[in-house]
Amino acid sequence: QVALVESGGGLVQPGGSLRLSCAASGSILSINAMGWYRQAPGKQRELVGTITSEGNTNYADSVEARFTISRDNAKNTGYLQMNSLKPEDTAVYYCNARGLVRFWETFGSWGQGTQVTVSS
């Protein structure tokens, strides 16, 4: 019922920045939490960070102090600002959201991912 679409990925040089967006559409009463994940070739999917409905964030050690997660509740959109990018950040980035469709019905959705490539 709820669809998520990531955008903003692309090719960037080491040290550069990218801003990813995660737009949620559908019948949504609220998004309780949103998370960003990434999966590099040959590696398991890992958590990048999360943000709660109150705006509290948590980050993986590998991105702490470089990445910032935010959200615009009115637009049902989450963001991942990535600064000081490193080649090791190269991966497909996915967003996840969970919340309420109705007061008695929850949802949990994944986006299809957006490619981020950090290379010289």
Side-chain angles (χ1 to χ4, degrees):
Q1 297 183 32
V2 176
L4 303 180
V5 179
E6 302 96 336
S7 62
L11 176 64
V12 64
Q13 296 181 358
S17 299
L18 281 176
R19 187 191 191 214
L20 306 184
S21 298
C22 176
S25 62
S27 181
I28 302 172
L29 285 181
S30 65
I31 297 178
N32 181 52
M34 181 172 289
W36 285 94
Y37 300 77
R38 66 185 183 184
Q39 187 166 23
K43 296 182 64 179
Q44 73 284 312
R45 185 172 62 183
E46 65 175 348
L47 176 68
V48 174
T50 60
I51 185 167
T52 69
S53 59
E54 295 298 319
N56 298 319
T57 55
N58 288 288
Y59 301 94
D61 292 341
S62 59
V63 305
E64 184 75 54
R66 297 188 299 118
F67 291 11
T68 302
I69 295 175
S70 61
R71 61 189 291 174
D72 186 333
N73 293 332
K75 297 181 179 180
N76 289 141
T77 300
Y79 305 94
L80 177 63
Q81 178 67 47
M82 305 184 294
N83 300 321
S84 301
L85 283 163
K86 305 175 180 179
E88 305 87 86
D89 296 319
T90 296
V92 177
Y93 284 71
Y94 301 89
C95 68
N96 176 78
R98 57 185 177 89
L100 297 176
V101 174
R102 300 177 178 84
F103 289 115
W104 61 91
E105 183 179 355
T106 63
F107 76 88
S109 299
W110 286 92
Q112 277 64 59
T114 184
Q115 177 71 50
V116 172
T117 302
V118 185
S119 176
S120 300

